[in-house]
Amino acid sequence: MTRCAITSLIATAGTVCTVGSVFGQSFNVDLGAQAGAGSGAIASSFAACGQAGSWNVIWPTTQPDATLVNTAGVMTAVTLTRPAGVTVVVPPGNSDTGDFGRLMTDGFRVNTVDDTDHYTFNGLTEGRYLVYVYFANTASGIGAAVDVSGFVGQSMQLSGGSTPDTFKAGANYTLSLADVSANGQLSMAITRLNGGQANVAGFSLVKLNGTRKPIHITPNGAGDRSGSSWTNAMAGVIEPMQLLNGAYYYETETTDNTVDLDMWIAGGTYKVTSASNPTRFERLNIIDGMSMYGGFSGNESHPAQRTGIPQTIISGEIGNAGMGDNSYKLANYDKCSSRTITDRLTFAHAADERVSVSLYQGRGAAVMVMESNDPFGNDGPVFRDVIFRNNLAGSEGGAIYLYNASTTFENCLFEDNDTLASNSEGKGGAVADYSGGSTYIYTDFISNSSKKGAAAYLRFSGAEFFGCRFLGNQGSTSTIHILNGQDSRFGSCLIAGNSNGLNAAAVYSEGENADVRFSNTTIGHNSAAGYSAGVLLRDGADGYVLNSIIWGNSASLTEPGFEGQASIDVVNGPTSVAFAHASVQNGSKMEVAFNTALFQNNELNPLFVDFNGTDNVLGTIDDNYRLSAGSPAIDSGEISFAPTDTYDLDADGIVWEEAPYDLAGRTRVVDISGVGASGYANVIDRGPYEFTLPCRADLNGDGVLNFFDVQAFLSAFSGGSMVADFVADGVLNFFDVQEFLNQFSAGCP
């Protein structure tokens, strides 16, 4: 199973947007003339901005309390009470056509005596409704306000108008969210503003029976731009975001004000700035429950149908080449809970190069997550399959800044994000986390840079990392910097090829509450100009190194006789470090005790397949830290020290078992016959990768049969390793050579 497939399994085990029928208490209403412009029956396939289905047509001569059919065409007991003595108006210059024209050409004029009319739906089922109010279209001159009873947002206002056959939020229609109580009434007060035109063309009521309604979005829009389908997609992300911000503006203590609509965003590049007068201050404002799904081709009816090929990019580029005039921020997540999902988007090219003088300056160039609004705790939003690339912050969090919101990242990538190089206090090239405990699952940090915490800076905050890779990050003091935080855990992670000008190229943890635990993690070939290139524990931070490998790290200033400082160093103790089933280079030459016998620790070379990859460059994605055949790390771990399946990666409902997958998404526990603790049900390798022999003759596990596999076999055979026991009889002899040659000749499947 791939890493992506595992996180997809997690997603489907939770709440993913649902599209379903809401016919029972949903209604479409067209107000207009019985004959002439705008008259005629609207097809049930026309959704307007709400939902396709049957349309009720109400004329001035229709009784004031009209009984309605629902969108399924079934007569109900619901009635619409409207003003008496209404006048039908066709605004000048209207040239709308088809079903759009039948709805939007004419409407009931708001009376000009007190400039307010009232409409009331009676007999509705209790619950939440989307309420769309349409106004007779014109290119300009519309001026109205809509107030809905039981609303959860704000009073909606219209101004201007729209081009023919085109819906435009805030110009010729409004969206409100309303909670209908047990009395079954939903009332609307529609007011004419500033002497403008206010001719009510119709309504759509969509009952939200646990469903989530998608808004379809493409870079250039399509059809009537209502967002009701891909053929009628809204253009860009600004208008739908403004629509939802208005509909869900207010938070209350009594209203569960989570957003009930999802944004489905097709592949392409989207800017957060207006086209006419862009400024660096514009950004997307994400509110609780608002979910954004990217990567659509434009023909899907469910997010699960996405292929993953189109890339949806939210870009900070505004005009000039370079980042000097780019958007300061791309998105702000304010008081969002875990109901807020961002899925398959790329946030790129934001630049807030300001050195912070306030909380919102110089922090989190791509994204800021401020506070959480989870009724069950402080869980913040979820980012899934999201890429953060080429973003720059002046002070903290080149890509993202988290504050009091324990955020979850699944299968994400942070690449080439930075804090301002000239700022000696820059923190968190990718992430600055003040959240109190975020979670990172199968998430990569590659080539990010900052003075402190080139990849991540955790202040007053711990974090959980599972299946994460930290590669090629560059800074002054650390790749991951943990300061006065809660405990942090690294399970099945790879921290390799990172470099720093001073101490602790891999992990720098300081403070009595900043303990750090490594389970089945490899910290390899990091470099530092100071004392420790692997792990530095300071001011009382304790460490736990379990089933893990610390190897190949180089530090310039190790003391004679203490070469193990390059692996782990301790400053300003007291600090304790517990080792169990750990492979640590120069472990016996550290300043902390390294018991090799009692807890089966050793200083044996783990024999990585190719730690600097085919490009011979450390810290790149091709670095291969799998174990070669004959590695002493194979089957020499202890299952009780393995990372637990806290996030239920296999979706079996059991979270107290060991994590079922390794860093590559392969089965975690594989027993290699005759090696280590062979014959036991629960044998596990050290480090993040489990050694497997899916093709017996592929002894170096690179998927190719060649001379190197022959070499590996001969080495294992001559060294007496049972890896070469191809006939599994417990004896190495000619028959093993013969069987190896047979399998080598047969090739891999």
Side-chain angles (χ1 to χ4, degrees):
M1 182 175 290
T2 65
R3 298 168 69 192
C4 186
I6 293 170
T7 53
S8 295
L9 191 62
I10 299 171
T12 53
T15 301
V16 181
C17 83
T18 305
V19 182
S21 173
V22 290
F23 279 146
Q25 279 278 306
S26 295
F27 300 89
N28 291 325
V29 177
D30 174 26
L31 306 178
Q34 188 170 358
S39 63
I42 297 175
S44 60
S45 58
F46 181 64
C49 296
Q51 178 177 302
S54 296
W55 285 82
N56 296 271
V57 180
I58 296 180
W59 305 316
T61 56
T62 305
Q63 62 183 17
D65 293 298
T67 303
L68 305 178
V69 299
N70 61 23
T71 48
V74 177
M75 183 60 69
T76 70
V78 174
T79 61
L80 172 62
T81 301
R82 61 170 180 81
V86 294
T87 300
V88 175
V89 171
V90 177
N94 187 296
S95 58
D96 297 319
T97 61
D99 286 325
F100 185 98
R102 282 183 271 278
L103 174 63
M104 302 292 285
T105 293
D106 58 351
F108 289 180
R109 183 178 64 189
V110 173
N111 82 82
T112 57
V113 177
D114 63 3
D115 288 333
T116 300
D117 276 347
H118 296 271
Y119 292 81
T120 301
F121 286 85
N122 309 285
L124 294 171
T125 300
E126 184 177 3
R128 176 163 290 188
Y129 290 78
L130 302 174
V131 183
Y132 295 89
V133 181
Y134 307 109
F135 289 78
N137 195 29
T138 181
S140 62
I142 297 177
V146 177
D147 289 279
V148 179
S149 62
F151 69 95
V152 298
Q154 61 184 334
S155 174
M156 304 298 294
Q157 296 190 4
L158 292 90
S159 62
S162 184
T163 56
D165 296 330
T166 303
F167 289 105
K168 185 175 182 181
N172 60 4
Y173 78 94
T174 64
L175 168 63
S176 301
L177 271 291
D179 290 325
V180 174
S181 64
N183 68 14
Q185 286 194 335
L186 187 150
S187 299
M188 292 166 285
I190 302 174
T191 303
R192 187 169 70 111
L193 298 178
N194 303 318
Q197 298 185 55
N199 306 302
V200 185
F203 310 100
S204 289
L205 265 62
V206 180
K207 178 70 167 62
L208 295 170
N209 296 328
T211 61
R212 297 182 63 86
K213 182 178 182 296
I215 299 175
H216 301 78
I217 301 165
T218 62
N220 300 311
D224 63 23
R225 300 196 178 186
S226 62
S228 60
S229 65
W230 291 117
T231 54
N232 291 301
M234 297 183 79
V237 294
I238 297 175
E239 183 182 338
M241 189 64 66
Q242 291 172 338
L243 180 70
L244 295 179
N245 284 164
Y248 291 90
Y249 183 75
Y250 292 122
E251 285 290 339
T252 70
E253 294 295 329
T254 58
T255 301
D256 179 17
N257 196 20
T258 181
V259 177
D260 306 284
L261 296 95
D262 293 329
M263 296 171 64
W264 290 11
I265 312 173
T269 299
Y270 299 81
K271 297 184 179 181
V272 300
T273 52
S274 56
S276 58
N277 186 29
T279 73
R280 302 186 71 185
F281 295 93
E282 295 174 87
R283 65 191 180 196
L284 304 179
N285 291 306
I286 314 300
I287 50 182
D288 189 26
M290 183 184 293
S291 293
M292 297 187 293
Y293 294 84
F296 288 92
S297 297
N299 54 11
E300 299 90 343
S301 59
H302 194 281
Q305 296 171 342
R306 293 171 295 172
T307 63
I309 296 175
Q311 196 171 33
T312 300
I313 302 171
I314 309 298
S315 174
E317 295 283 2
I318 292 179
N320 299 328
M323 301 182 73
D325 70 336
N326 287 18
S327 298
Y328 284 136
K329 298 279 186 295
L330 297 179
N332 183 59
Y333 290 69
D334 189 19
K335 294 182 175 62
C336 292
S337 71
S338 55
R339 298 171 294 192
T340 308
I341 298 172
T342 302
D343 186 295
R344 294 198 194 177
L345 297 184
T346 295
F347 292 97
H349 305 295
D352 189 353
E353 72 281 7
R354 300 170 296 180
V355 177
S356 60
V357 295
S358 70
L359 184 59
Y360 287 92
Q361 288 188 5
R363 292 183 168 95
V367 169
M368 289 193 75
V369 180
M370 304 299 295
E371 309 285 348
S372 70
N373 190 41
D374 197 311
F376 308 106
N378 69 330
D379 287 344
V382 176
F383 293 85
R384 185 180 300 129
D385 296 310
V386 174
I387 297 172
F388 299 86
R389 179 178 285 139
N390 291 324
N391 300 288
L392 171 68
S395 294
E396 298 183 85
I400 190 167
Y401 180 87
L402 309 173
Y403 183 76
N404 284 351
S406 297
T407 304
T408 299
F409 299 87
E410 300 171 4
N411 203 47
C412 293
L413 169 64
F414 292 88
E415 185 176 27
D416 292 324
N417 302 284
D418 311 286
T419 60
L420 197 63
S422 60
N423 184 2
S424 61
E425 293 299 315
K427 304 176 182 73
V431 177
D433 189 344
Y434 292 71
S435 69
S438 291
T439 301
Y440 303 81
I441 303 171
Y442 287 121
T443 289
D444 292 338
F445 298 79
I446 299 175
S447 299
N448 304 284
S449 69
S450 183
K451 298 295 183 182
K452 297 180 181 180
Y457 180 82
L458 313 178
R459 180 73 184 271
F460 309 126
S461 170
E464 295 270 353
F465 298 92
F466 180 86
C468 296
R469 294 181 293 186
F470 299 82
L471 302 172
N473 300 283
Q474 298 182 1
S476 292
T477 61
S478 53
T479 298
I480 304 139
H481 199 114
I482 307 166
L483 176 61
N484 296 326
Q486 303 168 11
D487 295 353
S488 292
R489 297 173 180 265
F490 296 81
S492 296
C493 291
L494 173 64
I495 308 171
N498 304 286
S499 61
N500 278 273
L502 297 174
N503 296 322
V507 180
Y508 187 125
S509 191
E510 55 180 312
E512 291 185 0
N513 296 320
D515 298 347
V516 61
R517 179 187 180 102
F518 302 100
S519 300
N520 287 93
T521 287
T522 289
I523 301 173
H525 300 94
N526 301 284
S527 63
Y531 285 97
S532 176
V535 179
L536 192 149
L537 301 172
R538 182 176 183 137
D539 298 339
D542 296 331
Y544 302 84
V545 183
L546 314 171
N547 293 345
S548 292
I549 301 169
I550 303 179
W551 200 267
N553 301 286
S554 60
S556 301
L557 299 178
T558 55
E559 301 174 30
F562 290 97
E563 288 79 10
Q565 288 176 329
S567 295
I568 296 181
D569 195 16
V570 174
V571 177
N572 296 340
T575 290
S576 67
V577 183
F579 299 91
H581 296 264
S583 299
V584 180
Q585 188 172 21
N586 292 318
S588 60
K589 298 179 180 180
M590 298 185 297
E591 295 177 281
V592 292
F594 184 66
N595 190 310
T596 58
L598 183 61
F599 296 107
Q600 299 187 40
N601 302 303
N602 65 48
E603 300 174 77
L604 301 177
N605 190 328
L607 302 178
F608 301 123
V609 170
D610 188 2
F611 62 82
N612 60 0
T614 57
D615 62 4
N616 293 317
V617 177
L618 288 170
T620 54
I621 199 69
D622 69 341
D623 294 355
N624 191 341
Y625 279 83
R626 297 179 187 277
L627 303 175
S628 297
S631 168
I634 296 174
D635 284 1
S636 63
E638 165 56 47
I639 196 69
S640 63
F641 296 135
T644 55
D645 192 18
T646 306
Y647 312 105
D648 197 16
L649 300 178
D650 52 2
D652 64 356
I654 303 173
V655 296
W656 56 86
E657 63 184 349
E658 71 275 0
Y661 305 115
D662 69 359
L663 176 54
R666 296 180 176 181
T667 300
R668 176 71 262 195
V669 179
V670 178
D671 181 15
I672 303 300
S673 177
V675 177
S678 178
Y680 292 92
N682 293 325
V683 292
I684 190 170
D685 298 347
R686 303 183 187 195
Y689 295 106
E690 191 76 3
F691 182 81
T692 58
L693 290 172
C695 176
R696 286 289 308 279
D698 182 20
L699 288 179
N700 67 358
D702 64 357
V704 180
L705 294 182
N706 53 28
F707 165 77
F708 298 105
D709 299 299
V710 177
Q711 188 179 54
F713 174 78
L714 294 175
S715 177
F717 187 89
S718 61
S721 171
M722 287 299 103
V723 168
D725 184 16
F726 265 60
V727 296
D729 61 358
V731 180
L732 296 182
N733 53 29
F734 167 76
F735 297 105
D736 297 302
V737 177
Q738 185 179 52
E739 181 61 22
F740 168 75
L741 293 175
N742 288 339
Q743 294 196 28
F744 186 90
S745 300
C748 285

